[in-house]
Amino acid sequence: MISSSKENNHRQLFSVVPEDYEKLKGYFKLRKPVTCENVITDSYIWKNYYNTKYYINEYGLVWIYRIKNQVFSSVPLCTDENVVASFYEMKEYFNSVLGVKLKLCLVDEHTKNILNLPKDKFLVEEERDYFDYLYNAKELMALSGKKYHKKKNHVNGFLKEYENRYRVKIADKSDVESIEEFLIKWHNKRNIIDEYNRDDYELKGIFYVLEHCDMLKYKMMLVYVDDVIEGFTLGTYLSEEKTAYIHVEKANPDIRGLYAFINREFLKNCFSEAEYVNREDDMGLEGLRKAKLSYNPIELIKKYTITEL
């Protein structure tokens, strides 16, 4: 493994910290988000999972990720005009400084097409497990029509069974301790088996954002049943693309219709102006994939892995 001191002799590496939010936000504005990874809130939630560092080159911001013994990057934060130049600067950095071949993960199709890389030098692979799910926001708020019949029945079932027993709250900083208690309870109950421990890191990342990142423009909603928190969701709205990004959605799976209710109510209460909803990827988890497909996505946003040969 290359030492951080050697890396710093070539490019100064920075960690993702709340104090750098304004600086980071400026770089995020250089490109359209397209995928959930290019929303600043996600970068804070997952920074520890990816051991995220970054450096600044002549064109924008470059990510350096490390998981176990692998080092890789993703799409640089720069304008479309500078993507190719930044890509080859990254290649030189990986080759000469890190001593490894360049690998980019979670590359959107738009960037892949701009790069138009030679097939004899780079392997480009489609990664279905990390496709984002994009939905029509107005449809998810209304749940009207035959294709949402089951979802609407689930919501109506929840409303009928828990009438006068539930309440919705738009959460704020005063709710952090209660949210964390709920998430720990949810995590322990679900006991998800994942060789990458993504669920554990997500939980820690949510805690980090709740406790340290007041400047992030996310919104949160809680659902109480019998005065006990049974559901929580957190999302970000990007007005330039009229899209709500749902980063977190957790609920008691034993309460019929609660997930469908949260899905609808969060949009209606916090993102009523949205035209689209990005509910991120399914990480290749069968149950999550089935759930996301059941909401009738209008598009699966493709992502690719690019590996230098």
Side-chain angles (χ1 to χ4, degrees), residues 140 143 150-152 154-155 249 257-265 295:
L140 293 192
L143 294 180
K150 287 185 178 179
K151 294 298 179 187
K152 194 156 193 175
H154 286 319
V155 171
E249 186 181 83
L258 181 54
Y259 267 108
F261 176 75
I262 289 174
N263 185 312
R264 187 187 75 172
E265 291 303 300
Y295 282 96

Side-chain angles (χ1 to χ4, degrees), residues 87 101-105 107 117-125 127 304-309:
F87 175 84
K101 292 188 175 182
L102 177 62
K103 182 176 183 178
L104 263 63
C105 297
V107 178
L117 297 167
K119 294 181 180 179
D120 61 330
K121 294 183 179 179
F122 298 93
L123 176 65
V124 180
E125 299 174 283
E127 296 286 358
Y304 300 82
T305 295
I306 296 174
T307 307
E308 182 185 0
L309 298 174

Side-chain angles (χ1 to χ4, degrees), residues 119-149:
K119 294 181 180 179
D120 61 330
K121 294 183 179 179
F122 298 93
L123 176 65
V124 180
E125 299 174 283
E126 195 174 275
E127 296 286 358
R128 172 63 181 86
D129 291 351
Y130 297 101
F131 286 9
D132 280 2
Y133 289 76
L134 190 71
Y135 304 86
N136 181 304
K138 305 307 178 187
E139 288 185 358
L140 293 192
M141 289 183 223
L143 294 180
S144 57
K146 186 176 181 180
K147 65 180 179 178
Y148 292 106
H149 181 69

Side-chain angles (χ1 to χ4, degrees), residues 158 182-183 185-187 189-190 221-223 225 229-233 248-263 295:
F158 170 80
F182 162 74
L183 289 172
K185 182 176 71 173
W186 181 91
H187 181 268
K189 185 173 184 177
R190 295 290 285 169
M221 190 186 81
L222 294 167
V223 177
V225 176
I229 296 175
E230 297 290 4
F232 165 72
T233 184
V248 181
E249 186 181 83
K250 312 294 185 189
N252 184 341
D254 296 331
I255 298 180
R256 176 180 177 255
L258 181 54
Y259 267 108
F261 176 75
I262 289 174
N263 185 312
Y295 282 96

Side-chain angles (χ1 to χ4, degrees), residues 27-144:
Y27 286 104
F28 273 92
K29 287 182 177 180
L30 292 177
R31 69 185 309 267
K32 292 182 178 180
V34 184
T35 65
C36 63
E37 290 80 21
N38 291 305
V39 177
I40 194 168
T41 307
D42 249 27
S43 296
Y44 278 93
I45 291 175
W46 292 100
K47 73 185 193 74
N48 288 328
Y49 175 71
Y50 289 111
N51 295 295
T52 305
K53 305 287 185 194
Y54 67 90
Y55 70 80
I56 307 301
N57 64 15
E58 300 89 324
Y59 315 104
L61 182 148
V62 173
W63 301 110
I64 303 294
Y65 303 126
R66 293 184 188 273
I67 297 180
K68 297 181 179 180
N69 295 321
Q70 293 190 25
V71 57
F72 56 98
S73 187
S74 61
V75 179
L77 298 181
C78 63
T79 62
D80 283 353
E81 291 75 15
N82 287 324
V83 163
V84 173
S86 187
F87 175 84
Y88 282 102
E89 188 282 330
M90 294 163 64
K91 176 183 176 299
E92 177 63 22
Y93 180 87
F94 270 66
N95 295 170
S96 301
V97 181
L98 301 182
V100 297
K101 292 188 175 182
L102 177 62
K103 182 176 183 178
L104 263 63
C105 297
L106 307 172
V107 178
D108 60 271
E109 191 162 28
H110 176 69
T111 301
K112 174 186 77 75
N113 292 338
I114 291 176
L115 290 172
N116 191 27
L117 297 167
K119 294 181 180 179
D120 61 330
K121 294 183 179 179
F122 298 93
L123 176 65
V124 180
E125 299 174 283
E126 195 174 275
E127 296 286 358
R128 172 63 181 86
D129 291 351
Y130 297 101
F131 286 9
D132 280 2
Y133 289 76
L134 190 71
Y135 304 86
N136 181 304
K138 305 307 178 187
E139 288 185 358
L140 293 192
M141 289 183 223
L143 294 180
S144 57

